[in-house]
Amino acid sequence: MSNTKTVLPVLEPGAPEAVAPCCPPLTERPLTAEEAVRAAAMFKALSDPVRLRLFSLVASHEGGEACVCDISDVGVSQPTVSHHLKKLKEAGLLTSERRGTWVFYRVEPSVLAAVGQTLRPSGA
């Protein structure tokens, strides 16, 4: 098992065509080896229930970003929350910005689009 981290590209807001999304829809054609590695990194990051919940909390938060202080109550300790947020950032699913003592997390709309595109049926 490799310890190499695969980071998905984060697309620039307002310019989703600037960077190709992770992968084509799974029903469009077989994934290349590189596409499979990138998709697996994304799905692996989202495969943990706490991570999926944190991702959902950020994605659905008013204004499209959430302070860590607003999303920490997910039934695990603060260090565990930080660990999971780090994993989501490493996978390219979240970005963060420190403002004073707080860190704010954001899911770029293009990342949500890339996740959705991978799972949508071809032609849809």
Side-chain angles (χ1 to χ4, degrees), residues 52-64:
L52 187 57
R53 187 161 177 220
L54 287 167
F55 185 77
S56 174
L57 284 167
V58 173
S60 65
H61 203 270
E62 186 176 332

Side-chain angles (χ1 to χ4, degrees), residues 29-112:
R29 62 169 173 77
L31 297 178
T32 65
E34 181 181 320
E35 289 168 340
V37 167
R38 291 168 63 194
M42 175 182 62
F43 291 125
K44 182 176 181 181
L46 292 173
S47 69
D48 181 279
V50 172
R51 282 187 214 144
L52 187 57
R53 187 161 177 220
L54 287 167
F55 185 77
S56 174
L57 284 167
V58 173
S60 65
H61 203 270
E62 186 176 332
E65 72 175 8
C67 174
V68 70
C69 60
D70 293 329
I71 60 172
S72 294
D73 188 20
V74 291
V76 296
S77 68
Q78 179 56 47
T80 302
V81 168
S82 294
H83 166 77
H84 286 304
L85 290 169
K86 177 183 173 188
K87 293 295 185 183
L88 290 167
K89 280 183 61 177
E90 287 174 350
L93 296 167
L94 292 181
T95 59
S96 66
E97 178 184 344
R98 180 170 290 282
R99 297 183 201 151
T101 58
W102 298 111
V103 178
F104 288 78
Y105 290 89
R106 174 177 289 281
V107 176
E108 295 296 342
S110 54
V111 171
L112 287 175

